[in-house]
Amino acid sequence: MNQSAFEVQETVLNPMLIAGVRMTGKYSDCGNGFSQIGRQLGRHICGNAFLLHYDDEYKADNADFEACMPIRKGTSSETITVRELAGGRCVSLLHRGPYDSLAGSYEMILEYIRQQGYAISSPTREVYLKGPGMIFKGNPRHYRTEIQMLITEDQA
């Protein structure tokens, strides 16, 4: 994979209304959360699916994450939380390729944040711009995932 095609960018994210399902387990379980949101609020979804990551490091089996979708309107239920997700200063990187190669992109964005003297505000985000469809898996080499990390100036 050609890492030189990847570029870290700084931007500002706007707050957004989201529907989320908080989960603990394997990241691959996130499809269950997306399905719940789609069944309950499908007509109100207005953007790409994404994960919020609450852990400070990668966890293969016991990860704390939230499957989310931006929505125009909606109300919380027993399993789905509807709320405004804060915006703010952000460092992002567009990852091209399969999910199992995300580690290299995370290394790049984390190194950039360290070099700039920023601190990360949790949770971090993975926005799925292009990935497997509902029926066909598609070619993982064509997947597009934007890694987003809200930042603050490091006070250390």
Side-chain angles (χ1 to χ4, degrees):
M1 169 152 296
N2 182 4
Q3 293 290 331
S4 65
F6 294 45
E7 183 177 323
V8 177
Q9 298 182 351
E10 293 191 33
T11 188
V12 175
L13 297 177
N14 293 322
M16 72 174 98
L17 185 65
I18 66 164
V21 176
R22 188 87 177 247
M23 308 172 82
T24 302
K26 295 181 179 189
Y27 296 115
S28 59
D29 296 337
C30 68
N32 297 330
F34 294 137
S35 294
Q36 288 179 46
I37 296 167
R39 282 193 302 273
Q40 183 172 322
L41 297 164
R43 68 184 180 278
H44 300 299
I45 295 169
C46 60
N48 295 88
F50 63 97
L51 283 186
L52 296 176
H53 298 272
Y54 294 95
D55 296 312
D56 291 335
E57 59 187 26
Y58 175 80
K59 292 186 177 179
D61 296 321
N62 198 23
D64 182 8
F65 61 93
E66 187 173 8
C68 300
M69 296 206 183
I71 57 172
R72 287 185 286 281
K73 65 179 183 176
T75 55
S76 295
S77 69
E78 190 175 307
T79 58
I80 298 173
T81 302
V82 172
R83 68 183 188 285
E84 183 172 290
L85 181 63
R89 288 182 62 209
C90 172
V91 172
S92 69
L93 184 140
L94 179 61
H95 172 81
R96 295 172 179 91
Y99 301 137
D100 63 6
S101 67
L102 276 165
S105 293
Y106 271 97
E107 288 172 12
M108 288 180 66
I109 196 169
L110 290 169
E111 177 62 18
Y112 178 89
I113 288 170
R114 187 192 64 73
Q115 287 177 357
Q116 299 302 314
Y118 296 145
I120 300 169
S121 296
S122 194
T124 60
R125 307 173 189 191
E126 279 182 11
V127 182
Y128 304 109
L129 304 174
K130 184 176 182 182
M134 295 300 288
I135 298 172
F136 298 108
K137 182 179 178 185
N139 186 336
R141 290 184 320 205
H142 299 297
Y143 292 176
R144 301 289 181 265
T145 306
E146 184 176 2
I147 301 168
Q148 300 175 341
M149 297 185 179
L150 292 178
I151 54 166
T152 59
E153 298 295 329
D154 194 351
Q155 303 301 317

